[in-house]
């Protein structure tokens, strides 16, 4: 499967276990193109590593490789696991499916969008220059993002403390159900700072309907 | 690659502090909020770390393997960003080199494969200059760089950067003709294939500024065909398909007539050409279909056909179309995409048996993107081309599979597609080459028979007994399939 892609544009998706003593990351190649992580691993380190050809051709599913710490990105959360919170604590990666119209709110432009990863979709709000910086099909990495209510809509956004960067295009699998913005959340009775899912308002986005493939 | 995350803010902060230096060192046109690519970062970091040692007097110490790799990256970055010192940087490289320039060329190759469309114009100019130097030096691996540069020549693209790339590569072939002939004769078939294909587009439009380039391209192709036919011959049947598209250009009309009626005109010492059927019976290697698809397009097509589930491909198809088929003339690219899907993308059985978008579905969608009749006809020809001279001893079942599956799967909901394809195939059998009709009937019928025998479809009943299809077509199909057995 590796050879199908040609190196080194190939993204090797990996799950990682942190070896604190060695300060090394040992990585298990789970799959080269179709990401799936076992439930027991609840952190995801997902990163496009650029390997030299000999390394890529030697790596296969289930292999364990060791790379020095620091060459791998942050712990990223999957969209299905995001929970509304008043904190800028979400690091994730998604593909931009569709942008709505850019509107002006006070001094600033805002733009609603639908983004998704391989586990869920969510409504995203671009702000200011971000509105024009991305196009549908772009793969975007978000650092220190926030998932919270804005005028009654549940939205993911970078906020003042977060960052967005385009890291690729096209080559990402996504689903449009569930949509995390179309879930009704209630305060967690066991933890006043957190929310739990009460019910699904709509399985897919009501703002951006999914296109139907004819073939 | 550091995605610039984690230290997100910090990284961007430090970049803006060094804003001026950093901007000057860029190789690519960076969009706002776009992360720097790994390869660009590795070249830049090498350059930054070794910058003081890139000016004479150069160190005489023998570098360690790691230092050698780092120096190669630093020097390439310097060649690309400091045009006025490029000659000096090359001298530095000459003094260091211990691997026949293989590492240096490998870095150029990666840049061409991964970043070429995004490179700054000045960096592109330098990259082509450096490539030219590596050809002069007979550096190890330069043929792969030229192959990849050919892939960036886009069909149906009349913009300045694309025409300039055509011009530079044609010129390089003229200037280095004898060296290339000696070192890498296989490159001539790639050059010929590329320029014949773009000439079909370049002769379709009348643009004053295109004329000089068109003349050069014709001159190069004619020179290769007339003087080195033994190199072109092994391209196989697709070369005839390309030449037929250029029948209105007098030089190519004459060549095609000689191929058919006067084959001995191409004989040279040690090579005897008897008949065009020698070419028709040679399957074209998938490398030629790959040659007409840019690396980025290849990645996206393979991703779609490996990861996306049937019924969920709409958004990816739209993005692909917005990027690659976004102008009316781009429909002429679909021919190349269909050839690529049939000949160069052969999924393994696990994918074929899964719910991933099959090749026929993608081709069905591409057919709906064709607006003009002659573009559509060329796409259908591309789809059926390997059927006409099919011989299971040399041909690949996977090349002919998509056409049959598209006809069969279109019956329930899109019978007009089945109809149009079957009609076109029968028309091809009767008219493609009247003098070789027996061979074609045999090719097409053995293609059908093999597809049934290998279980691609259980039988042809779905077509021969489909009441929605014109009875004449069904009869024609039955006759064709049985005619092959009798013949």
């Amino acid at each position: 499967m590796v050879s199908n892609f040609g190196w080194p544009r190939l993204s090797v998706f990996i799950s990682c276990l942190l070896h604190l003593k060695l300060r090394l990351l040992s990585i298990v190649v789970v799959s080269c193109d179709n990401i799936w992580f076992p439930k027991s691993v609840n952190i995801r380190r997902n990163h496009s590593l650029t390997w030299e050809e000999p390394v890529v051709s030697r790596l296969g599913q289930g292999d364990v490789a060791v790379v020095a710490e620091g060459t791998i990105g942050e712990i990223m959360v999957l969209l299905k696991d995001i929970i509304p919170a008043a904190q800028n604590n979400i690091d994730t990666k998604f593909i931009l499916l569709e942008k709505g119209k850019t509107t002006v709110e006070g001094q600033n432009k805002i733009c609603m969008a639908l983004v998704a990863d391989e586990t869920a979709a969510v409504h995203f709000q671009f702000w200011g220059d971000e509105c024009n910086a991305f196009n549908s099909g772009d793969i975007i990495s978000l650092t220190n993002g926030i998932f919270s209510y804005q005028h009654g809509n549940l939205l993911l956004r970078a906020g003042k403390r977060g960052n967005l960067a385009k890291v690729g295009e096209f080559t990402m699998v996504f689903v449009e159900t569930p949509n995390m913005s179309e879930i009704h959340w209630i305060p967690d009775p066991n933890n006043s700072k957190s929310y739990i899912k009460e019910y699904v308002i709509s399985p897919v986005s009501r703002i951006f309907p999914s296109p139907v493939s004819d073939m | 690659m550091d995605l610039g995350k984690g230290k997100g803010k910090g990284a961007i902060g430090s970049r803006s502090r060094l804003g001026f230096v950093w901007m000057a060192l860029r190789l690519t046109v960076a969009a706002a909020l776009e992360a720097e690519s790994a390869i660009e970062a590795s070249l830049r970091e090498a350059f930054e770390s070794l910058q003081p040692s890139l000016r004479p007097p150069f160190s005489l110490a023998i570098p360690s393997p790691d230092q050698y790799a780092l120096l190669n990256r630093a020097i390439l970055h310097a060649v690309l960003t400091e045009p006025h010192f490029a000659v000096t940087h090359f001298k530095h490289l000459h003094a260091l080199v211990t691997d026949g320039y293989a590492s240096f060329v490998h870095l150029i190759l990666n840049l061409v494969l991964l970043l070429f469309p995004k490179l700054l114009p000045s960096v592109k100019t330098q990259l082509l200059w450096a490539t030219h130097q590596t050809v002069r030096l007979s550096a190890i691996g330069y043929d792969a760089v030229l192959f990849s540069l050919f892939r960036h020549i886009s069909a149906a693209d009349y913009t300045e950067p694309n025409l300039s790339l055509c011009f530079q590569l044609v010129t390089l072939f003229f200037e280095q003709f004898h060296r290339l002939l000696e070192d890498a004769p296989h490159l001539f078939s790639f050059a010929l294939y590329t320029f014949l294909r773009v000439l079909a587009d370049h002769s379709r439009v009348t643009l004053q500024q295109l004329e000089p380039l068109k003349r050069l391209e014709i001159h190069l192709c004619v020179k290769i065909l007339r003087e080195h036919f033994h190199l072109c011959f092994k391209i196989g049947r697709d070369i005839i398909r390309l030449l037929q598209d250029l029948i209105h250009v007098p030089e190519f009309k004459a060549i095609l007539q000689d191929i058919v009626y006067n084959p001995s005109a191409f004989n040279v010492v040690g090579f005897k050409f008897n008949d065009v059927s020698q070419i028709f019976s040679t399957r074209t290697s998938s490398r030629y279909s790959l040659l007409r698809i840019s690396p980025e397009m290849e990645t996206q097509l393979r991703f779609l056909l490996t990861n996306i589930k049937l019924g969920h491909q709409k958004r990816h198809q739209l993005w692909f179309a917005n990027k690659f088929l976004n102008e009316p003339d781009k429909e002429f690219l679909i021919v190349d995409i269909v050839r690529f899907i049939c000949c160069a993308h052969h999924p393994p059985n696990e994918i074929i048996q899964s719910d991933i978008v099959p090749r026929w579905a993608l081709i069905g969608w591409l057919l709906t993107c064709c607006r003009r009749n002659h573009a559509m006809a060329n796409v259908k020809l591309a789809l059926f081309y390997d059927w006409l001279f099919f011989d299971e001893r040399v041909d690949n079942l996977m090349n002919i599979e998509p056409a049959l599956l598209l006809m069969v799967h279109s019956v329930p909901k899109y019978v007009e597609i089945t109809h149009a394809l079957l009609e076109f195939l029968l028309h091809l059998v009767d008219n493609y080459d009247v003098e070789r009709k027996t061979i074609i009937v045999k090719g097409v019928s053995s293609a059908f028979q093999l597809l049934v025998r290998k279980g691609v479809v259980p039988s042809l009943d779905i077509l021969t007994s489909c009441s929605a299809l014109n009875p004449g077509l069904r009869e024609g199909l039955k006759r064709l399939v049985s005619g092959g057995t009798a013949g």
Side-chain angles (χ1 to χ4, degrees):
Chain A
M1 199 154 281
V2 168
S3 60
N4 269 355
F5 272 78
W7 59 276
R9 60 173 50 237
L10 156 95
S11 290
V12 183
F13 290 99
I14 50 176
S15 76
C16 308
L17 302 164
L18 190 56
H19 289 229
L20 288 170
K21 265 190 183 170
L22 296 167
R23 300 197 64 75
L24 287 173
L25 295 165
S26 91
I27 62 169
V28 184
V29 178
V30 170
S31 163
C32 294
D33 30 61
N34 214 346
I35 327 160
W36 193 83
F37 294 88
K39 276 190 181 153
S40 60
V41 182
N42 47 18
I43 61 161
R44 181 179 75 154
R45 286 179 177 253
N46 169 351
H47 197 93
S48 316
L49 288 177
T50 307
W51 302 73
E52 293 298 319
E53 180 186 20
V55 179
V56 169
S57 56
R58 281 204 302 269
L59 280 180
Q61 191 157 342
D63 282 359
V64 176
V66 176
V67 288
E69 191 184 11
T71 56
I72 289 194
E74 307 313 297
I75 297 172
M76 293 214 187
V77 66
L78 294 166
L79 289 181
K80 74 171 171 58
D81 296 328
I82 60 174
I83 296 168
Q87 281 177 302
N88 273 83
N89 59 356
I90 296 173
D91 289 352
T92 189
K93 190 169 90 166
F94 47 73
I95 186 160
L96 171 54
L97 304 188
E98 213 172 320
K99 280 204 294 188
K101 282 209 178 91
T102 301
T103 54
V104 178
E105 194 177 81
Q107 296 285 305
N108 288 298
K109 288 185 287 188
I110 55 167
C111 175
M112 276 279 277
L114 179 66
V115 304
D117 70 5
E118 65 276 21
T119 64
V122 66
H123 294 147
F124 194 89
Q125 187 184 66
F126 290 112
W127 188 84
D129 292 341
E130 293 165 4
C131 296
N132 297 327
F134 303 103
N135 295 308
S136 53
D138 284 356
I139 299 171
I140 300 168
S141 122
L142 167 69
T143 334
N144 300 327
I146 178 164
F147 183 46
S148 65
Y149 290 93
Q150 288 256 305
H151 309 299
N153 298 317
L154 188 51
L155 302 165
L156 182 64
R157 60 202 163 91
K160 280 182 186 151
R161 284 187 284 165
N163 265 312
L164 289 174
K166 175 178 168 179
V167 293
E169 263 177 44
F170 195 89
T171 50
M172 190 162 166
V173 176
F174 62 84
V175 294
E176 296 189 43
T177 303
N179 184 308
M180 304 310 281
S181 299
E182 300 285 14
I183 287 172
H184 194 265
W185 301 78
I186 50 165
D188 184 346
N190 302 320
N191 177 358
S192 62
K193 284 183 180 169
S194 190
Y195 285 84
I196 53 169
K197 292 171 194 170
E198 193 190 31
Y199 60 88
V200 173
I201 303 166
S202 165
V204 291
S205 168
R206 289 169 298 166
I207 307 173
F208 301 99
S210 169
V212 182
S213 291
D214 7 301
M215 281 210 120
Chain B
M1 174 170 76
D2 179 2
L3 291 183
K5 301 304 90 255
K7 297 144 201 159
K9 284 252 151 153
I12 287 170
S14 66
R15 280 175 193 173
S16 44
R17 250 179 282 130
L18 299 168
F20 173 73
V21 180
W22 187 68
M23 289 307 287
L25 294 178
R26 288 255 23 179
L27 301 179
T28 53
V29 187
L33 303 180
E34 185 162 355
E36 189 181 24
S37 72
I39 177 167
E40 181 170 0
S42 87
L43 295 182
R44 178 178 52 77
E45 283 158 12
F47 177 77
E48 283 166 350
S49 71
L50 296 183
Q51 204 170 7
S53 50
L54 297 176
R55 293 278 185 274
F58 299 123
S59 162
L60 295 173
I62 294 171
S64 70
D66 284 350
Q67 284 173 321
Y68 184 73
L70 196 65
L71 271 161
N72 269 284
R73 291 205 290 275
I75 292 174
L76 178 58
H77 195 284
V79 167
L80 298 177
T81 52
E82 303 187 328
H84 42 294
F85 291 117
V87 173
T88 311
H89 292 310
F90 248 89
K91 282 184 184 153
H92 189 187
L93 181 67
H94 297 332
L96 283 169
V97 83
T98 53
D99 62 352
Y101 302 92
S103 316
F104 191 75
V105 171
H106 190 75
L107 292 170
I108 297 184
L109 177 65
N110 278 346
L111 271 185
V112 172
L113 282 173
L114 298 174
L115 286 186
F116 193 79
K118 287 184 182 171
L119 293 180
L120 291 162
S122 63
V123 173
K124 267 188 195 170
T125 308
Q126 284 307 105
L127 182 108
L128 286 163
W129 178 81
T131 304
H132 205 134
Q133 301 307 308
T134 60
V135 175
R136 276 196 192 140
L137 295 161
S138 297
I140 292 171
Y142 76 75
D143 52 340
V145 175
L146 290 182
F147 182 87
S148 304
L149 282 170
F150 282 138
R151 298 184 63 191
H152 286 292
I153 293 183
S154 320
D157 177 352
Y158 311 107
T159 60
E160 199 280 327
N162 191 50
L163 298 181
S164 155
L165 180 61
C166 290
F167 180 80
Q168 305 228 32
L169 288 173
V170 178
T171 315
L172 188 149
F173 264 77
F174 276 121
E175 280 176 19
Q176 302 292 331
F177 201 89
H178 295 289
R179 185 188 304 276
L180 289 168
L181 199 57
E182 207 162 286
D183 271 12
H186 55 286
L187 284 176
F188 282 85
S189 64
F190 297 139
L192 178 69
Y193 197 86
T194 304
F195 291 118
L196 283 180
R197 175 63 191 88
V198 295
L199 268 169
D201 294 326
H202 295 173
S203 351
R204 190 180 304 117
V205 293
T206 33
L207 280 175
Q208 201 58 45
Q209 69 269 33
L210 206 59
E211 276 310 304
L213 173 63
K214 203 165 101 185
R215 289 320 310 169
L216 275 178
E217 288 168 346
I218 293 176
H219 185 177
L220 180 69
C221 291
V222 169
K223 189 175 163 73
I224 299 174
L225 281 160
R226 287 284 183 199
E227 296 172 16
H228 303 281
F229 192 71
H230 57 292
L231 299 173
C232 322
F233 164 79
K234 62 179 184 197
I235 294 175
R237 58 180 79 115
D238 276 77
I239 188 91
I240 304 289
R241 190 175 58 85
L242 296 189
L243 282 169
Q244 281 166 338
D245 248 4
L246 289 165
I247 198 82
H248 52 281
V249 180
E251 288 89 339
F252 296 116
K253 187 178 182 181
I255 287 175
L256 207 48
Q257 277 173 344
D258 279 349
I259 289 177
V260 177
Y261 300 112
N262 184 22
S264 62
F266 298 100
N267 287 353
V268 287
V269 182
F271 173 76
K272 195 155 181 277
F273 179 54
N274 296 321
D275 187 64
V276 64
S277 56
Q278 276 176 280
I279 302 183
F280 281 138
S281 62
T282 309
R283 179 174 58 88
T284 299
S285 148
S286 59
R287 298 195 73 185
Y288 295 95
S289 6
L290 200 59
L291 191 58
R292 293 318 315 133
I293 296 283
S294 73
E296 201 176 12
M297 204 189 275
E298 180 192 359
T299 305
Q300 297 201 356
L301 288 168
R302 290 200 198 275
F303 181 82
L304 232 167
L305 293 167
T306 311
N307 297 282
I308 304 300
K309 289 183 182 157
L310 183 62
H312 295 86
Q313 75 271 36
K314 190 86 175 208
R315 290 195 193 272
H316 278 98
Q317 284 177 354
L318 274 174
W319 296 332
F320 182 86
N322 284 343
K323 190 175 179 91
F324 298 110
L325 307 172
N326 56 349
E327 287 162 37
D329 264 6
K330 298 278 180 173
E331 68 176 301
F332 292 109
L333 246 130
I334 295 174
V335 155
D336 302 317
I337 301 174
V338 167
R339 272 323 264 164
F340 167 80
I341 295 173
C342 289
C343 309
H345 184 79
H346 294 169
N349 279 334
E350 312 84 85
I351 300 270
I352 294 176
Q353 287 151 11
S354 72
D355 53 358
I356 297 296
V357 176
R359 297 185 301 156
W360 62 262
L362 197 58
I363 293 174
W365 169 69
L366 286 166
L367 278 171
T368 64
C369 299
C370 292
R371 294 280 165 264
R372 279 165 276 200
N373 285 338
H374 62 290
M376 175 74 101
N378 272 348
V379 172
K380 289 182 199 158
L381 179 65
L383 182 59
F384 283 117
Y385 205 57
D386 288 313
W387 288 60
L388 302 183
F389 303 96
F390 191 80
D391 174 354
E392 62 175 283
R393 287 167 304 175
V394 293
D395 275 287
N396 191 329
L397 182 78
M398 290 298 275
N399 288 18
I400 57 171
E401 181 235 50
L404 179 66
L405 288 181
L406 179 57
M407 286 195 283
V408 167
H409 287 285
S410 299
V411 167
K413 276 170 78 184
Y414 303 93
V415 77
E416 67 282 359
I417 292 184
T418 313
H419 191 283
L421 289 175
L422 199 53
E423 188 176 52
F424 187 83
L425 178 62
L426 294 176
H427 174 78
L428 274 182
V429 170
D430 288 337
N431 302 293
Y432 184 73
D433 187 340
V434 184
E435 286 175 39
R436 283 166 197 79
K437 190 174 165 183
T438 344
I439 306 178
I440 295 177
V441 168
K442 196 165 170 240
V444 174
S445 65
S446 64
F448 271 120
Q449 286 160 6
L450 185 72
L451 286 162
V452 174
R453 201 162 73 237
K454 293 283 179 186
V456 173
V457 290
S459 81
L460 295 174
D461 288 353
I462 186 162
L463 296 176
T464 52
S465 58
C466 169
S467 57
L469 284 175
N470 175 328
L473 277 184
R474 283 185 277 151
E475 275 313 303
L477 174 62
K478 280 183 201 162
R479 219 175 20 246
L480 182 60
V481 178
S482 62
T485 323

